Amino acid sequence: MRWDNLVENPATTGNSALFTAGAVTTRTFDTPEFRGITFHEVRARSIVNRVPGASRMPFEWTVNPYRGCSHACVYCFARKTHSYLDLDTGLGFDSQIVVKTNAPELLRSRLASGHWHGAHIAMGTNVDCYQRAEGRYRLMPGIISALRDHANPFSILTKGTLILRDLELLRQAAEVTEVGISVSVGFVDDALWRTVEPGTPSPGRRLDAVRTLSENGIDCGVLMAPVIPFLGDHPDQLRATVRAIAAAGATSVTPLVLHLRPGAREWYMQWLGNHHPHLVRRYERLYAEGAYAPKWYQRRITRYVHELAAEFGIGPSHRGAARRLPVRKGQRAPLDDPGPTQLTLL
């Protein structure tokens, strides 16, 4: 592995190293939940990243405390980013996890800087910040606490039910700033889930998290992603998914058709050839023009999901904030939260 002069993305950051070889400690843990996973603990030089101007994302800044993801979604578009560190984008992406152990302190320092003006920060947009590693490293409590203390607006997208651990911190943050929470549930087909998202909580458990967040006064939308062509796009499957999303109390639903960027495309097509070889030619035709399915297909899926959402009483997603919760007398925790316990690099 190339740990000297490592960069986040050579196309956007030039030759500025994120951390040096001396700042990396590699660990393995012989426990069932982490068996087969290697953690590379690093002390990053920065944590708030600007989204490239050409991106389709509706936000400008992100925080990603992890690289690689044990959720092991075969379609994950972030797989390519592992190649920037000379790490494998297939099994390596699933099992070689980079942990930025100083993420909370770096973020707190950035938010306190006179050059920072309180822009919205998105999390979970590259890899999931509530993947299994978060159960051990506990970076998100410190990150949310910093955002809360500076009343900085933020959003979180996750497939991880571990977000419920930080429910009280999210409530506190929502009292002082705009907080947007979205859970990703592309389908409720358990057989499909087990093969394409083997390291994630089940769709049912994710929807239980949506319900719990909503019941505790935190509006939660669902990113219905990905809608997988020929495997998860049958009208009956879409109807079952939107019905379940509505029943969980989601405030919005936003469908997103599978896209196959370089790095993810090769891994997904290999999986498709092994599990559904009869679909390979159909995928080659559908994605012949690039990473995205044709506009007509995307529009068809979006229109149908929005019709179902209206039928079940929820609307399409829009950029916005979760509700501002009323301050609860006597229940506000002090702002000097001690933050997470981090592993030593010694």
Side-chain angles (χ1 to χ4, degrees):
M1 294 178 294
R2 173 171 52 87
W3 288 108
D4 292 302
N5 200 36
L6 296 177
V7 295
E8 181 83 18
N9 183 340
T12 60
T13 59
N15 293 319
S16 177
L18 288 179
F19 38 83
T20 60
V24 180
T25 299
T26 298
R27 298 184 189 278
T28 58
F29 303 108
D30 189 22
T31 55
E33 68 271 28
F34 297 130
R35 189 161 295 134
I37 298 177
T38 299
F39 296 99
H40 304 286
E41 300 172 354
V42 305
R43 292 193 63 80
R45 294 182 177 178
S46 65
I47 195 64
V48 181
N49 306 304
R50 184 188 290 272
V51 176
S55 171
R56 299 187 180 194
M57 298 298 182
F59 42 80
E60 188 177 0
W61 301 95
T62 64
V63 164
N64 296 297
Y66 300 99
R67 299 286 297 270
C69 186
S70 59
H71 281 169
C73 301
V74 296
Y75 53 75
C76 184
F77 71 89
R79 288 182 177 278
K80 178 67 174 177
T81 63
H82 243 39
S83 68
Y84 305 150
L85 307 183
D86 277 359
L87 292 170
D88 176 58
T89 60
L91 289 175
F93 180 84
D94 304 338
S95 61
Q96 301 280 332
I97 311 300
V98 177
V99 184
K100 302 172 187 176
T101 58
N102 59 336
E105 63 195 75
L106 279 176
L107 177 60
R108 189 172 289 275
S109 176
R110 181 65 185 274
L111 297 179
S113 168
H115 299 293
W116 182 255
H117 301 295
H120 179 97
I121 289 177
M123 292 173 282
T125 60
N126 189 38
V127 301
D128 205 313
C129 49
Y130 282 106
Q131 60 178 287
R132 276 178 284 167
E134 173 61 17
R136 180 177 183 88
Y137 287 95
R138 297 183 57 85
L139 301 181
M140 288 302 293
I143 288 171
I144 296 171
S145 296
L147 292 162
R148 174 202 63 189
D149 294 353
H150 289 273
N152 200 101
F154 66 92
S155 60
I156 298 173
L157 171 64
T158 185
K159 287 187 177 79
T161 55
L162 188 58
I163 191 173
L164 296 180
R165 180 201 63 193
D166 297 336
L167 180 59
E168 181 56 28
L169 281 174
L170 292 170
R171 285 188 57 93
Q172 293 171 16
E175 291 172 0
V176 298
T177 191
E178 296 177 350
V179 176
I181 306 297
S182 292
V183 173
S184 177
V185 182
F187 43 83
V188 291
D189 183 326
D190 277 352
L192 183 59
W193 158 63
R194 292 180 188 279
T195 57
V196 299
E197 300 171 344
T200 66
S202 72
R205 288 183 59 204
R206 281 177 253 161
L207 290 174
D208 286 342
V210 172
R211 185 176 295 106
T212 299
L213 289 163
S214 298
E215 289 173 348
N216 281 273
I218 298 176
D219 287 357
C220 183
V222 168
L223 182 65
M224 191 171 159
V227 175
I228 302 179
F230 317 129
L231 292 172
D233 63 350
H234 188 278
D236 290 346
Q237 291 174 302
L238 298 176
R239 172 173 285 276
T241 302
V242 177
R243 181 191 292 115
I245 290 170
T251 56
S252 64
V253 57
T254 303
L256 185 65
V257 173
L258 175 73
H259 55 275
L260 297 173
R261 298 180 189 175
R265 186 184 188 111
E266 295 81 359
W267 188 245
Y268 182 83
M269 292 302 290
Q270 178 181 324
W271 171 86
L272 192 70
N274 290 334
H275 290 82
H276 305 281
H278 63 287
L279 293 179
V280 170
R281 286 294 300 139
R282 297 183 71 182
Y283 266 81
E284 289 173 347
R285 289 193 295 269
L286 190 66
Y287 290 89
E289 300 301 318
Y292 295 88
K295 291 291 186 182
W296 63 263
Y297 179 87
Q298 296 185 52
R299 292 192 187 102
R300 187 181 74 186
I301 295 296
T302 298
R303 182 172 58 252
Y304 187 56
V305 168
H306 285 175
E307 289 172 355
L308 290 170
E311 177 183 339
F312 291 115
I314 52 178
S317 179
H318 55 84
R319 178 82 185 272
R323 71 182 63 160
R324 289 176 178 268
L325 301 176
V327 175
R328 297 163 294 145
K329 293 181 180 180
Q331 296 186 31
R332 180 67 182 273
L335 296 185
D336 56 345
D337 186 274
T341 302
Q342 297 179 0
L343 297 184
T344 178
L345 296 182
L346 299 180

